[in-house]
Amino acid sequence: KQEVTQIPAALSVPEGENLVLNCSFTDSAIYNLQWFRQDPGKGLTSLLLIQSSQREQTSGRLNASLDKSSGRSTLYIAASQPGDSATYLCAAVQGGSEKLVFGKGTKLTVNP
Amino acid sequence: ETGVTQSPTHLIKTRGQQVTLRCSSQSGHNTVSWYQQALGQGPQFIFQYYREEENGRGNFPPRFSGLQFPNYSSELNVNALELDDSALYLCASSLGTGNEQYFGPGTRLTVT
């Protein structure tokens, strides 16, 4: 059974700082891994999708990496801004499965 | 291109009642997945529909049921509501199974 863990549960940083959010998964036989952003009480916005054959994906100030052998993914946010404040969730899809297995998320606060 | 939409936005029901939540998938998507997100938790997979057939189910009792229509929109029905059913219900659509999922804004269900 796949389990996804995100550490830390919460993070507070000053504006402009570069930061890394961590995601670990127990079963390395994943099909892909997806990072999402969720604002309070809202739905999920897809940020990046990494296929199992890829090592990283980049979109603007965001960079996500995937290391299947160690069961880890990281989301790097460069030059953080107050508008980046949200909960960030990672989710893994197993090969042959149809469902996303989510971590509990990291709540990020970027202080002006 | 129209994104994923859900209705209603908020809903208050009494324990024992029944509820129907609706989801319209993103244009061109044939797969809809439903997730339940309790406060402070990551979303939990309920089930997925692919071309009008159930294509996988999470650890939810039979009183959670669904439908997918020929236009790929979907309904989630919950019978005999319990207090623990209070949550944000998220719908996601994708083109085929195992591909990037795009989420709607969610329906906040409160059971009193």
Side-chain angles (χ1 to χ4, degrees):
Chain A
K1 177 187 174 186
Q2 177 72 276
E3 293 183 2
V4 178
T5 304
Q6 292 186 249
I7 295 173
L11 183 63
S12 182
V13 301
E15 182 177 2
E17 190 161 299
N18 302 325
L19 57 100
V20 174
L21 305 181
N22 296 297
C23 171
S24 61
F25 45 92
T26 55
D27 188 339
S28 62
I30 62 171
Y31 182 70
N32 62 47
L33 187 138
Q34 202 167 349
W35 281 92
F36 296 90
R37 168 188 172 134
Q38 186 173 33
D39 294 292
K42 303 295 185 182
L44 278 61
T45 300
S46 178
L47 298 174
L48 290 164
L49 172 76
I50 312 176
Q51 300 288 356
S52 62
S53 58
Q54 298 175 318
R55 292 298 298 256
E56 65 180 286
Q57 280 285 342
T58 298
S59 176
R61 294 183 295 109
L62 305 180
N63 176 277
S65 67
L66 175 64
D67 184 345
K68 286 176 55 180
S69 61
S70 66
R72 293 182 181 180
S73 177
T74 61
L75 179 66
Y76 175 82
I77 302 177
S80 58
Q81 303 170 358
D84 295 331
S85 298
T87 295
Y88 290 81
L89 295 149
C90 70
V93 175
Q94 290 302 105
S97 173
E98 62 291 330
K99 65 179 182 180
L100 288 166
V101 178
F102 283 87
K104 292 185 177 181
T106 294
K107 183 176 181 180
L108 173 65
T109 302
V110 181
N111 301 300
Chain B
E1 183 179 272
T2 305
V4 180
T5 61
Q6 293 186 244
S7 63
T9 304
H10 296 91
L11 203 52
I12 300 175
K13 289 287 189 177
T14 303
R15 189 171 51 184
Q17 287 188 316
Q18 178 266 343
V19 68
T20 297
L21 310 182
R22 294 178 176 83
C23 171
S24 292
S25 59
Q26 184 166 315
S27 177
H29 286 183
N30 55 15
T31 304
V32 172
S33 304
W34 286 92
Y35 295 82
Q36 179 196 67
Q37 186 178 26
L39 203 61
Q41 302 295 314
Q44 297 291 315
F45 176 74
I46 303 175
F47 43 58
Q48 182 184 84
Y49 280 84
Y50 172 64
R51 293 185 173 180
E52 303 179 59
E53 297 287 333
E54 187 177 289
N55 185 50
R57 186 179 184 92
N59 189 27
F60 281 81
R63 59 189 185 85
F64 286 77
S65 63
L67 283 173
Q68 187 178 32
F69 300 100
N71 66 355
Y72 302 130
S73 66
S74 178
E75 286 183 354
L76 164 65
N77 299 291
V78 187
N79 294 322
L81 284 166
E82 300 177 358
L83 296 179
D84 285 348
D85 295 334
S86 294
L88 181 67
Y89 287 84
L90 297 163
C91 163
S93 76
S94 59
L95 180 58
T97 63
N99 293 319
E100 187 167 6
Q101 297 190 23
Y102 296 87
F103 282 77
T107 293
R108 171 71 63 187
L109 173 65
T110 302
V111 182
T112 62

